[in-house]
Amino acid sequence: GTHPFLRTLEGLRKQHVIINAIKLKALYFQHINSLIADALHCSMEQTHSLAELIYNKTQGNAFFTTAFLKTLYEEALLVFDFNKQRWQWDLEQISQKEMTNNVVELMVDKIQKFPPETRTVLTLAANVGNQFNLKTLAVIYDQSPKSTLEALWQAVAEGLIISLNENYKLVGALD
């Protein structure tokens, strides 16, 4: 009840603002298996054991499922064998991988793996707010817009920051 988002929603309700909520249920096992089979270009029979393991770790949460798959790839627990032209995984090693059930812990873990300059500029951006202008952030960061974007790029690539327009692609023209 004390979370800022929940307080904001309550304030909006008091002002009689219409708020629509969409409740998302967990994915069923067959959906997880289908997602994994499609992503790895194999049959659902081939991915059944992997999907079962991932489903048990994520409880069908779509966000955690995709994050867990990315983590497996990043940690080379899910690799593409170019000789055999197929994806490989070791269920034993994956089963030992811990999976948080907390989005905040997952994001903190991901951010801690970023280079120091990325963490620094993300901290500055967070202080600006949930939306920021690259030029403004560059001034605060005391770097060019291009250097600022380069520092942010891993966070952009990971989907932590989403551009509201395509202007970031013109960053070279900003220097």
Side-chain angles (χ1 to χ4, degrees):
T2 61
H3 191 279
F5 179 71
L6 295 177
R7 288 194 317 233
T8 301
L9 281 179
E10 187 56 36
L12 291 171
R13 283 189 185 107
K14 286 180 182 176
Q15 295 175 20
H16 304 290
V17 173
I18 297 171
I19 299 171
N20 295 309
I22 299 173
K23 288 233 181 213
L24 299 176
K25 294 191 285 183
L27 297 173
Y28 294 110
F29 168 77
Q30 57 267 34
H31 298 136
I32 301 285
N33 195 14
S34 179
L35 171 87
I36 294 169
D38 186 51
L40 302 182
H41 300 287
C42 2
S43 72
M44 290 175 62
E45 291 79 29
Q46 292 171 304
T47 59
H48 188 275
S49 297
L50 176 63
E52 196 169 51
L53 181 61
I54 292 173
Y55 180 79
N56 288 333
K57 286 189 172 290
T58 65
Q59 298 301 301
N61 180 304
F63 177 80
F64 287 130
T65 299
T66 55
F68 191 62
L69 281 168
K70 281 178 82 172
T71 300
L72 294 178
Y73 175 76
E74 289 165 358
E75 295 181 6
L77 295 171
L78 180 62
V79 294
F80 190 76
D81 184 330
F82 287 96
N83 293 328
K84 295 180 180 177
Q85 290 293 295
R86 63 183 294 267
W87 287 93
Q88 306 265 89
W89 55 87
D90 183 334
L91 289 176
E92 178 74 27
Q93 285 184 309
I94 294 171
S95 69
Q96 294 171 11
K97 179 85 180 117
E98 291 296 320
M99 180 65 192
T100 180
N101 62 356
N102 181 312
V103 175
V104 174
E105 286 177 22
L106 186 67
M107 292 294 102
V108 167
D109 184 50
K110 187 173 287 284
I111 290 168
Q112 286 175 341
K113 293 177 183 173
F114 287 166
E117 60 274 6
T118 302
R119 292 194 311 264
T120 298
V121 76
L122 277 175
T123 301
L124 295 171
N127 286 317
V128 171
N130 68 337
Q131 290 185 13
F132 58 87
N133 176 293
L134 182 60
K135 285 183 180 179
T136 303
L137 185 59
V139 169
I140 296 167
Y141 187 47
D142 197 26
Q143 297 289 324
S144 71
K146 184 176 181 178
S147 295
T148 304
L149 182 59
E150 286 170 356
L152 276 177
W153 193 251
Q154 190 170 358
V156 172
E158 292 283 337
L160 245 51
I161 295 176
I162 300 170
S163 179
L164 297 176
N165 56 46
E166 299 290 312
N167 291 344
Y168 70 95
K169 293 179 179 177
L170 304 173
V171 77
L174 298 174
D175 285 337

